[in-house]
Amino acid sequence: MQPKAHIVDLPVYQPGKPIEEVQKEYGLSEVVKLASNENPYGFSPRVKAAIESELTKFNLYPDGGAVELTAAVAEHLSVQADQVIFGCGSDEIIALIARAFLSEGDENIMADATFSVYKSNADIEKATSIEVPLKNGTHDLEAMLAAVTDRTQIVWICNPNNPTGTIVSETELKSFLDRVPSSVMVVLDEAYFEYVTDSAYPDGTKLLADYGNVVVLRTFSKIYGLAALRIGYGVGQASVIRSINQVREPFNTTRIAQAAAKAALADREFVESCRIKNTEGISFLQGEFDRLGLSYFPANGNFIMVDTQRSAADLFQRMLRKGVIARAGFKLYPTYMRVTVGSPRENEIFIRTFEEALNEQGAAV
Ligand SMILES: Cc1ncc(COP(=O)(O)O)c(C=O)c1O
């Protein structure tokens, strides 16, 4: 029994350490995890009631087409129902796009520091990934356009970009879309869409009418606070969504996830309050980084990437021992740490611990 040769060296995704494990390992009574861009405010109270109504139906398969949720999202976005597809997180939509559109010898283009799932799925399909360097932490759309060849199938644009948090503007994006061949799919990953407050930020779903090659990804894992339930979606031209549906497993999202997502979508007040609190959290953290004389990329999602001017991996370990989990170890940004914006209390604990660890570690390199 042999695995396929091309998957032998693929890395296994390394998630952040779970809170319980860190607590046990270091004998801590409390651990603050700001490592996975989760919502510190939980989820809408409407979700609980919606899930409760599903609790007696575990013996029944879910609706494979997620008809009710599709109708709700289609209405919310002013698109047609056949333009929407749901997945086990937007992670699954990325995998399905790769499965449907990438083959050996195809090329796909992405930033050199972006969400790792694009490349891992391209690797699985034996496609070649062209990684274009970020410019000041931001997608370099001109360089990405210059990298397009007649073998290019997909360009992935993560907007806001994970891990840097930067955005491309509507003007830049339209200028790119006007020039990229219409045969190339452009995936706009808008996992953090609802957090963005910058008026220059484009709404990818509004570009679908003019650009038939665009596919937009969104998720219920972030501002809606449903990460555990695994539900995200893609929006595009009906013919493209049909191709993605052709490679989808029949029952890829659960009853509970569908019911929860529908209830969460309807609670705009919860979304709005999370956005406001997140913006306040960004201001607080940025103010503290300014006080510490550290620079950071403009933050547009629910996380900030700060230049610690030291080995961030070492700083990460020091903070872990004190019960704060952030993210470090970015290959191209070894001095940067990514911190999720937490609740005001979590943000304060983060800054206190961060400063202690900085002082222990000594002067900047
Ligand atoms: C940019 C980006 N896209 C997609 C995802 C996947 O989210 P999910 O699979 O939970 O919908 C994430 C998760 O962190 C992300 O940061």
Side-chain angles (χ1 to χ4, degrees):
M1 188 172 58
Q2 290 289 333
K4 294 177 183 174
H6 76 281
I7 69 152
V8 171
D9 294 323
L10 293 183
V12 174
Y13 180 75
Q14 297 298 331
K17 278 200 181 203
I19 290 180
E20 297 77 11
E21 201 184 309
V22 175
Q23 231 163 348
K24 220 157 86 194
E25 197 172 329
Y26 299 104
L28 298 160
S29 56
E30 187 187 3
V31 168
V32 170
K33 181 173 173 239
L34 298 173
S36 301
N37 302 342
E38 293 153 331
N39 188 335
Y41 304 107
F43 47 86
S44 159
R46 295 193 203 182
V47 165
K48 196 158 170 271
I51 286 181
E52 269 161 9
S53 70
E54 293 298 321
L55 292 181
T56 54
K57 300 179 195 158
F58 288 170
N59 53 321
L60 304 176
Y61 280 102
D63 169 9
V67 172
E68 282 189 29
L69 179 59
T70 301
V73 167
E75 192 190 335
H76 178 68
L77 298 176
S78 306
V79 297
Q80 298 301 311
D82 59 3
Q83 293 186 263
V84 185
I85 181 170
F86 289 89
C88 178
S90 48
D91 275 346
E92 191 193 13
I93 308 288
I94 296 168
L96 294 177
I97 289 174
R99 190 190 282 183
F101 288 91
L102 292 178
S103 306
E104 185 169 8
D106 287 342
E107 291 177 357
N108 71 134
I109 298 172
M110 63 202 71
D112 64 348
T114 190
F115 191 50
S116 61
V117 175
Y118 317 138
K119 179 165 183 331
S120 61
N121 279 288
D123 287 347
I124 291 167
E125 304 303 334
K126 295 193 187 178
T128 303
S129 293
I130 312 295
E131 295 174 86
V132 176
L134 292 177
K135 206 163 136 188
N136 302 321
T138 307
H139 279 74
D140 184 348
L141 293 185
E142 292 302 317
M144 291 177 96
L145 187 65
V148 171
T149 72
D150 55 9
R151 287 189 297 279
T152 307
Q153 279 279 91
I154 302 176
V155 180
W156 306 90
I157 299 174
C158 189
N159 201 30
N161 187 41
N162 181 3
T164 55
T166 56
I167 54 168
V168 295
S169 70
E170 178 152 11
T171 314
E172 289 164 329
L173 183 61
K174 278 188 171 165
S175 158
F176 170 84
L177 291 170
D178 284 337
R179 289 174 292 152
V180 77
S182 58
S183 56
V184 173
M185 178 189 290
V186 178
V187 178
L188 303 176
D189 184 345
E190 298 182 348
Y192 301 95
F193 173 83
E194 297 84 358
Y195 282 113
V196 183
T197 56
D198 189 329
S199 59
Y201 178 66
D203 174 343
T205 64
K206 299 280 180 277
L207 300 172
L208 293 172
D210 289 335
Y211 302 98
N213 52 339
V214 166
V215 174
V216 178
L217 306 182
R218 302 254 177 104
T219 183
F220 285 96
S221 299
K222 302 300 175 185
I223 211 162
Y224 295 101
L226 301 181
L229 298 182
R230 311 304 303 124
I231 187 152
Y233 57 97
V235 196
Q237 292 310 310
S239 59
V240 174
I241 296 302
R242 181 179 151 73
S243 301
I244 305 172
N245 258 320
Q246 285 173 308
V247 299
R248 176 176 70 78
E249 301 298 335
F251 303 109
N252 62 329
T253 60
T254 66
R255 275 181 176 278
I256 294 220
Q258 291 177 22
K262 190 166 162 241
L265 185 72
D267 192 348
R268 304 319 300 171
E269 237 175 85
F270 177 79
V271 170
E272 185 60 22
S273 83
C274 290
R275 179 182 19 250
I276 291 169
K277 287 185 271 192
N278 182 67
T279 305
E280 289 165 1
I282 288 178
S283 300
F284 169 76
L285 290 170
Q286 288 181 340
E288 292 296 301
F289 293 142
D290 289 342
R291 176 177 64 78
L292 295 166
L294 300 176
S295 62
Y296 42 82
F297 289 122
N300 293 278
N302 65 340
F303 54 92
I304 305 183
M305 181 107 151
V306 59
D307 185 358
T308 70
Q309 301 174 7
R310 298 152 176 81
S311 159
D314 184 62
L315 200 65
F316 168 86
Q317 287 300 334
R318 288 174 193 276
M319 294 181 68
L320 195 63
R321 289 196 286 272
K322 297 170 189 289
V324 174
I325 320 175
R327 269 281 168 129
F330 298 102
K331 217 169 41 190
L332 298 172
Y333 295 92
T335 63
Y336 280 73
M337 180 171 272
R338 191 196 72 190
V339 55
T340 301
V341 179
S343 65
R345 180 172 173 272
E346 288 173 326
N347 295 338
E348 274 173 29
I349 294 174
F350 169 82
I351 286 295
R352 192 170 65 230
T353 311
F354 181 71
E355 200 169 354
E356 272 172 29
L358 283 178
N359 290 337
E360 276 174 26
Q361 209 176 340
V365 288

